[in-house]
Amino acid sequence: MSNLFKLKLSALGHPNPEFFNCEDEKEYRSVVLWLEDQKIRHYKIEDREGLRNIDSDFWKEAYNTYQKDLVSPAAEGTLNEQLNWLLSYAVRLEYADNVDKYKNAKVEEKKKAPNVVSSNPLDNLDFSSQAFKAGVNRVCTVASIGPHPDPKIRLAALAKVLKTSPHPEPLQTEVNLVNQPSDVLKLLFVQDLRNLQTKINEALVAVQTVTADPRTDTKLGRVGR
Amino acid sequence: MVVRQYNEEIKYLEKINPYCWRIKKGFQPNMNVEGVFYVNSTLEKLMLEELRNCCRPGMSGGFLPGVKQIANVAALPGIVGRSVGLPDVHSGYGFAIGNMAAFDMDDPKSIVSPGGVGFDINCGVRLLRTNLHEKDVLPIKEQLAQSLFDHIPVGVGSKGIIPMNARDLEEALEMGMDWSLREGYVWAEDKEHCEEYGRMLNADPSKVSLRAKKRGLPQLGTLGAGNHYAEIQVVDEIFDKYAAGKMGIESIGQVCVMIHSGSRGFGHQVATDALVQMEKAMKRDNIETNDRQLACARIKSVEGQDYLKAMSAAANFAWVNRSSMTFLTRQAFAKQFKMAPDDLDMHVIYDVSHNIAKVEEHVVDGKLKTLLVHRKGSTRAFPPNHPLIPVDYQLTGQPVLIGGTMGTCSYVLTGTHQGMTETFGSTCHGAGRALSRAKSRRNIDYKEVLNKLETMGISIRVASPKLVMEEAPESYKNVTDVVDTCHAAGISKKTVKLRPIAVIKG
């Protein structure tokens, strides 16, 4: 929460957002006053007296009335939630006052997707070339795929057959011919999978920096019999 | 139960190769499929001896021998393939421990049985590696053992040191290791190297009784008693250099930590609750079994589904439990060596469960089928290139962790294609009892056991020394016999042998 406060306070131009401690009652009260004085300005200056007396016992009452007057949805929440709403409200007002100024502001974002340059040789294949037609002819004869004027359709048929029909055991003389390319494909697949898993792990670690808070309490422990 | 003479019984058994026996139909009534068990000559003697004893006049009642239990499982509705007994098989509740059986999910009559999972749901083994060598550890072995003992509460009635409330437990039951990950107790790589990625997706905590949750809550992050332990081990022998390398095991003498634990009282309560429900379901659906302990329900029935959801929650509990102990182990090592666990390279090699039922796809008689695979005292052992094993083990096959008995040795195996076709990708889980607990208590003196460990140079910390003899190596089959049988039969492959230098247990 306190990081969020710092961010919003510095956006609003608070003189020392870095040192604000929301747990300190006095600091909390003076930030509320600062928000009303500088940003929200809901009351006339003379009506801010109740909030101005930050040492007074009646400050809390004034604060509660203030929140009711602003119709704060967080009025029933914790002190931090209340302050968070006030800060967000002030940010909203600040923005509304200077829409033109902020509208064009851009967040510097890292490029999400790099420009994809296809490295897949198949994308650059000339499907009308003689070499392609001859190649399709050759493999289709081996797999006994019937003729068709469009070699692309023949290739699609071949792909379907290869995917669905059972693969015969290669002949002893052809074992290497068949197994080597399939081993290469398996290795490439494993490499892709490794890259994917590494990205998953990185994502998990990134989330952990927000959520993780491992604790132990040795007082709870008990060794059994 | 059919009562026959031993020489009559033996006619139903046929040795099909030096490591494998067939149990023919008729050995027990109503067998839907045949049974099979894997043994070498030593284990074969134990197995047949057990059968012979039960055939003696006046031996009705008491434990059913393992081989009879395998056959009774073969008589359950919906079973496919064969009812498989692994080399460490011994009598258990309903199913023998060391028995696996698969049931066709598309057959409406197929059943799920809590006895086929066991009371300690998702009991399993996790192995951590380090970059330490035996010589780094020996000088401070005692302190390290004590430190582990201080971090990981053990024994009956022990309580964990990770603060948790009822809501945390609900979340942990649903999320499994993802909970540990979110809370920062484990590393992202730990999840990668865990069966099911440490989370059963069908877990539903609302199907778990309040009683189970109450029993489970204080026990998270504790080792428990019985055969559970945490051991500091060193690599004793490497059989497959390539596969070992993939696991980060480079040389003899390298230090590892093995954690063997399960779902504690939580899983036990889930199983007990389910058995009550199943008895009702059996009456309603007219399910008949050879043994009252084989209580079961149709997979598609409310009781069957409720059990599977609660069992999955218990499985998640066990993974969180082992993850919490992983965290505590890393802390203990980090304190002793004054180095971060990262710098000690304390990665999880793998985490297996050997008491669980899971939905898997297998090829049966040339057809792809969706099956509910029960593994009780049996470890999943998937072959290379199987989609459900981590990418790092795609070329070697899934690591299979076999915990030995206290003071003996442990093994890491890998899954094989032959195991996939013969045993639905399953192998043994440990040594397997040879003497009952009561018998061990009578025959063995606990002081002797502790002295023997000491002379072997093994530091030991136990919560209840008087129960140590139940777990003495003499009470168990020889784990090397068990593992060698699996290796020779081809259902898994030996990779690494580990020997303990410090043990902590309940």
Side-chain angles (χ1 to χ4, degrees):
Chain A
M1 204 59 139
S2 68
N3 274 336
L4 202 65
F5 290 163
K6 278 174 196 159
L7 209 66
K8 286 179 181 168
L9 280 172
S10 64
L12 290 166
H14 188 268
N16 48 359
E18 279 308 310
F19 300 102
F20 172 57
N21 172 13
C22 55
E23 303 299 333
D24 185 300
E25 200 173 289
K26 208 158 173 186
E27 284 188 41
Y28 184 98
R29 290 180 178 189
S30 59
V31 160
V32 171
L33 178 64
W34 181 82
L35 282 172
E36 170 58 13
D37 269 346
Q38 301 292 323
K39 301 290 163 187
I40 301 178
R41 297 190 294 269
H42 185 71
Y43 292 153
K44 289 186 201 132
I45 294 179
E46 57 271 25
D47 293 341
R48 297 179 194 160
E49 212 46 47
L51 291 176
R52 202 170 303 287
N53 289 329
I54 52 177
D55 296 321
S56 148
D57 291 341
F58 298 109
W59 188 88
K60 248 202 164 116
E61 257 167 54
Y63 184 43
N64 284 339
T65 330
Y66 177 58
Q67 291 189 81
K68 273 194 202 112
D69 292 343
L70 288 176
V71 205
S72 161
E76 301 295 318
T78 65
L79 280 177
N80 278 348
E81 283 163 0
Q82 294 172 357
L83 181 62
N84 189 35
W85 184 82
L86 279 184
L87 283 163
S88 305
Y89 182 56
V91 169
R92 206 151 60 233
L93 292 175
E94 184 76 15
Y95 176 79
D97 284 349
N98 297 295
V99 175
D100 288 330
K101 184 176 150 198
Y102 294 117
K103 186 169 68 178
N104 297 323
K106 280 204 182 84
V107 181
E108 288 236 351
E109 247 183 295
K110 272 191 243 161
K111 243 200 237 169
K112 270 189 188 137
N115 290 334
V116 181
V117 181
S118 171
S119 56
N120 185 347
L122 292 179
D123 288 347
N124 305 320
L125 212 60
D126 180 3
F127 293 113
S128 55
S129 74
Q130 275 308 318
F132 176 72
K133 282 181 195 163
V136 171
N137 249 338
R138 201 152 45 87
V139 278
C140 282
T141 328
V142 174
S144 14
I145 308 285
H148 191 278
D150 187 345
K152 278 203 273 187
I153 292 191
R154 270 189 107 184
L155 190 64
L158 174 70
K160 204 163 192 176
V161 166
L162 288 183
K163 266 189 219 160
T164 50
S165 68
H167 296 237
E169 285 293 310
L171 297 172
Q172 205 55 50
T173 48
E174 290 173 347
V175 165
N176 285 341
L177 211 65
V178 176
N179 284 353
Q180 273 173 2
S182 93
D183 286 348
V184 170
L185 287 177
K186 277 179 195 161
L187 286 175
L188 288 172
F189 172 69
V190 167
Q191 191 185 19
D192 279 356
L193 214 54
R194 182 61 258 174
N195 290 338
L196 174 67
Q197 184 69 59
T198 305
K199 280 184 195 140
I200 292 171
N201 289 354
E202 281 166 4
L204 289 175
V205 171
V207 175
Q208 271 192 319
T209 56
V210 182
T211 60
D213 181 19
R215 274 170 300 163
T216 51
D217 182 355
T218 40
K219 282 202 289 291
L220 296 174
R222 200 174 86 194
V223 171
R225 60 177 171 80
Chain B
M1 192 181 147
V2 191
V3 183
R4 282 184 294 244
Q5 294 289 317
Y6 176 72
N7 50 6
E8 288 290 314
E9 294 280 19
I10 200 80
K11 283 182 193 156
Y12 288 94
L13 305 178
E14 182 196 354
K15 194 172 188 170
I16 47 181
N17 69 42
Y19 302 101
C20 189
W21 285 65
R22 196 154 69 105
I23 307 171
K24 288 187 244 180
K25 287 186 185 175
F27 183 61
Q28 285 293 85
N30 306 320
M31 285 171 70
N32 294 317
V33 294
E34 294 194 320
V36 68
F37 60 92
Y38 293 85
V39 282
N40 66 4
S41 54
T42 323
L43 299 171
E44 177 185 307
K45 275 185 214 115
L46 284 170
M47 195 85 175
L48 298 180
E49 183 68 28
E50 198 184 35
L51 179 64
R52 193 194 305 269
N53 280 341
C54 111
C55 291
R56 280 199 316 237
M59 281 305 285
S60 56
F63 284 113
L64 267 183
V67 57
K68 282 279 175 192
Q69 289 192 312
I70 297 169
N72 280 339
V73 167
L76 289 173
I79 188 168
V80 294
R82 305 178 296 183
S83 171
V84 180
L86 285 315
D88 47 343
V89 76
H90 59 106
S91 307
Y93 184 89
F95 282 57
I97 297 160
N99 187 186
M100 71 74 46
F103 298 83
D104 187 352
M105 293 287 284
D106 294 324
D107 180 346
K109 291 214 155 77
S110 286
I111 56 95
V112 53
S113 171
V117 172
F119 282 92
D120 192 0
I121 295 167
N122 193 4
C123 180
V125 181
R126 175 177 290 205
L127 187 64
L128 308 176
R129 65 171 191 239
T130 71
N131 55 12
L132 298 165
H133 191 272
E134 189 176 2
K135 64 177 187 301
D136 305 323
V137 174
L138 282 183
I140 56 163
K141 200 174 60 161
E142 288 297 331
Q143 293 95 308
L144 197 58
Q146 187 60 41
S147 171
L148 267 184
F149 191 70
D150 293 339
H151 277 74
I152 305 178
V154 298
V156 178
S158 53
K159 289 184 176 175
I161 65 170
I162 288 177
M164 273 196 118
N165 58 34
R167 221 184 103 208
D168 295 328
L169 181 69
E170 291 284 322
E171 290 179 352
L173 293 179
E174 190 185 325
M175 297 172 67
M177 234 167 116
D178 283 343
W179 183 87
S180 308
L181 196 59
R182 187 186 75 189
E183 301 297 316
Y185 291 106
V186 291
W187 304 343
E189 293 84 354
D190 297 354
K191 176 179 164 69
E192 185 191 337
H193 284 177
C194 185
E195 211 171 298
E196 299 293 311
Y197 298 99
R199 176 178 190 169
M200 293 287 273
L201 292 169
N202 63 333
D204 184 350
S206 72
K207 302 293 178 198
V208 175
S209 69
L210 197 63
R211 187 140 180 234
K213 289 174 188 168
K214 274 194 177 147
R215 274 180 79 175
L217 183 58
Q219 296 181 338
L220 253 185
T222 64
L223 193 64
N227 58 349
H228 296 150
Y229 59 78
E231 274 186 355
I232 305 173
Q233 306 177 332
V234 294
V235 175
D236 198 42
E237 207 173 339
I238 298 177
F239 306 100
D240 181 342
K241 206 165 180 315
Y242 175 73
K246 281 274 169 193
M247 299 172 196
I249 292 179
E250 303 291 348
S251 61
I252 290 181
Q254 190 173 336
V255 174
C256 296
V257 181
M258 184 175 271
I259 298 169
H260 177 199
S261 183
S263 49
R264 309 281 285 106
F266 184 87
H268 198 283
Q269 191 63 45
V270 166
T272 312
D273 293 340
L275 286 172
V276 179
Q277 296 303 315
M278 302 239 160
E279 273 184 28
K280 288 183 204 150
M282 283 175 79
K283 261 191 207 133
R284 185 193 58 212
D285 296 338
N286 295 320
I287 305 172
E288 294 204 0
T289 58
N290 288 345
D291 180 356
R292 236 191 110 231
Q293 292 187 348
L294 287 170
C296 57
R298 293 199 173 133
I299 300 174
K300 298 270 150 64
S301 69
V302 178
E303 291 81 4
Q305 284 299 310
D306 283 358
Y307 170 66
L308 283 173
K309 287 170 186 165
M311 180 211 72
S312 297
N316 286 345
F317 182 99
W319 276 314
V320 172
N321 196 25
R322 288 200 286 277
S323 296
S324 300
M325 286 186 279
T326 305
F327 174 76
L328 299 170
T329 305
R330 284 176 178 150
Q331 282 206 327
F333 269 70
K335 270 185 207 163
Q336 284 298 320
F337 290 95
K338 300 190 176 56
M339 272 168 89
D342 285 287
D343 297 326
L344 291 168
D345 194 39
M346 294 188 73
H347 279 283
V348 170
I349 290 179
Y350 205 60
D351 177 306
V352 298
S353 44
H354 50 228
N355 276 2
I356 203 159
K358 286 200 279 201
V359 179
E360 290 172 5
E361 290 193 327
H362 287 271
V363 176
V364 185
D365 302 327
K367 278 195 211 104
L368 189 66
K369 286 202 164 171
T370 310
L371 307 175
L372 182 67
V373 181
H374 291 63
R375 290 194 184 89
K376 180 188 195 179
S378 163
T379 316
R380 193 186 77 177
F382 277 169
N385 303 317
H386 194 284
L388 291 185
I389 64 176
V391 51
D392 293 342
Y393 303 126
Q394 278 289 315
L395 300 177
T396 61
Q398 178 210 311
V400 178
L401 311 174
I402 306 300
T405 32
M406 182 176 66
T408 59
C409 53
S410 298
Y411 287 88
V412 183
L413 316 177
T414 48
T416 63
H417 288 290
Q418 196 185 341
M420 199 62 186
T421 48
E422 278 190 29
T423 60
F424 297 95
S426 314
T427 191
C428 63
H429 87 299
R433 276 198 168 275
L435 295 183
S436 73
R437 288 179 191 277
K439 216 168 178 182
S440 311
R441 273 200 303 269
R442 280 198 303 272
N443 295 2
I444 307 167
D445 181 42
Y446 77 92
K447 282 184 196 127
E448 248 173 67
V449 176
L450 292 179
N451 284 342
K452 201 169 153 199
L453 290 174
E454 214 175 282
T455 50
M456 285 163 77
I458 301 171
S459 311
I460 177 153
R461 297 287 183 284
V462 270
S464 45
K466 291 191 176 162
L467 291 178
V468 148
M469 58 278 194
E470 286 185 4
E471 303 305 324
E474 291 84 352
S475 310
Y476 281 89
K477 295 174 183 170
N478 183 350
V479 66
T480 302
D481 268 331
V482 169
V483 164
D484 284 350
T485 306
C486 291
H487 181 82
I491 56 174
S492 47
K493 192 164 167 247
K494 283 202 283 186
T495 306
V496 173
K497 181 184 175 195
L498 302 147
R499 92 186 127 77
I501 55 172
V503 187
I504 71 164
K505 64 183 293 134

